[in-house]
């Protein structure tokens, strides 16, 4: 019984779509609609192509997934200057085995903090989701914004600081410089 965490490939879009649809389907009963609940296989393929989608594969089967979106991702609204993680899912047959925790830790620590040197990460979940906000808060995420998505779902945005020193430096530095400031630097 072996497993590996790796980048998803476009050829896996249909299998990943199926995993995500099955994982998010119970939320529809609670009136919670995320973009993935209306996404097509081609939408998933586009995300694999334009964002960074990790999968946890156990014995050759896609078992868990988490996607990271960056500020340079085309046609997306970004609320904060850090990577945004979304489309988190664990296959029903593997729930309770720790694979969700493992893929989240890998993306947060190995990929974002250690490789990309990101000071923080953020995500969103439905305010009325019965347990996800509490799960993320136990993982160190803190709410910082509430908004309603285009599907009418009230979302809570949570951030997690991955590197306090880098985060503090970023918070103190201007994220956008004026043209006048840039001219003085030239």
């Amino acid at each position: 019984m072996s497993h590996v965490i790796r980048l998803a490939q476009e050829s896996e879009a249909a299998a990943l779509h199926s995993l995500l649809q099955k994982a998010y389907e119970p939320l529809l009963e609670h009136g919670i609609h995320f973009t993935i609940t209306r996404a097509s296989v081609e939408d998933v393929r586009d995300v694999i192509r334009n964002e960074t989608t990790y999968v946890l594969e156990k014995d050759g089967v896609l078992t868990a997934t988490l996607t990271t979106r960056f500020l340079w991702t085309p046609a997306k609204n970004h609320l904060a200057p850090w990577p945004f993680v979304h489309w988190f899912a664990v296959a029903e047959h593997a729930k309770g085995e720790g694979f969700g925790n493992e893929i989240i830790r890998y993306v947060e620590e190995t990929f974002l903090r250690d490789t990309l040197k990101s000071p923080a990460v953020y995500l969103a979940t439905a305010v009325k989701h019965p347990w996800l906000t509490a799960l993320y808060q136990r993982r160190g995420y803190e709410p910082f914004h509430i908004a309603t998505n285009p599907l009418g779902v009230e979302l809570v945005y949570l951030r997690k600081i991955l590197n306090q020193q880098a985060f503090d430096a970023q918070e103190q530095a201007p994220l956008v410089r004026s043209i006048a400031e840039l001219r003085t630097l030239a």
Side-chain angles (χ1 to χ4, degrees):
M1 183 153 87
S2 64
H3 66 277
V4 63
I5 296 174
R6 61 173 177 78
L7 290 172
Q9 299 180 21
E10 288 183 49
S11 61
E12 298 172 305
L16 190 57
H17 179 267
S18 178
L19 169 67
L20 288 160
Q21 292 300 311
K22 288 175 187 169
Y24 282 77
E25 184 177 24
L27 298 178
L28 297 174
E29 297 170 11
H30 297 285
I32 300 171
H33 299 273
F34 289 120
T35 55
I36 188 56
T37 62
R38 296 183 181 191
S40 67
V41 171
E42 190 55 37
D43 293 332
V44 172
R45 186 173 286 106
D46 284 344
V47 166
I48 292 170
R49 188 178 304 123
N50 293 306
E51 301 181 25
T52 302
T53 300
Y54 277 97
V55 294
L56 186 147
E57 182 181 53
K58 177 185 170 198
D59 298 327
V61 177
L62 297 184
T63 304
T65 186
L66 183 63
T67 295
T68 305
R69 179 182 303 142
F70 298 97
L71 289 172
W72 55 84
T73 303
K76 301 291 181 187
N77 294 328
H78 300 280
L79 185 65
W82 317 293
F84 176 78
V85 291
H86 67 110
W87 286 7
F88 169 58
V90 177
E92 188 63 37
H93 71 272
K95 291 196 177 193
E97 295 184 38
F99 294 124
N101 186 51
E102 188 173 341
I103 198 166
I104 289 173
R105 186 179 333 106
Y106 181 87
V107 170
E108 289 173 351
E109 296 174 8
T110 303
F111 177 54
L112 295 174
R113 184 193 68 202
D114 298 345
T115 303
L116 296 182
K117 310 301 185 203
S118 179
V121 61
Y122 77 110
L123 54 79
T125 192
V127 167
K128 68 179 184 177
H129 190 287
W131 51 267
L132 264 181
T133 300
L135 176 138
Y136 291 129
Q137 286 178 309
R138 285 191 303 275
R139 291 197 53 78
Y141 284 82
E142 300 173 328
F144 72 96
H145 185 71
I146 292 179
T148 302
N149 78 4
L151 301 174
V153 176
E154 189 176 26
L155 301 173
V156 58
Y157 288 81
L158 302 107
R159 75 171 177 215
K160 181 177 184 177
I161 298 171
L162 303 174
N163 178 319
Q164 188 68 54
Q165 185 177 4
F167 181 82
D168 291 343
Q170 181 187 44
E171 288 291 289
Q172 294 170 11
L175 298 176
V176 178
R177 294 181 183 245
S178 71
I179 293 173
E181 287 178 298
L182 291 173
R183 286 187 181 136
T184 63
L185 296 173

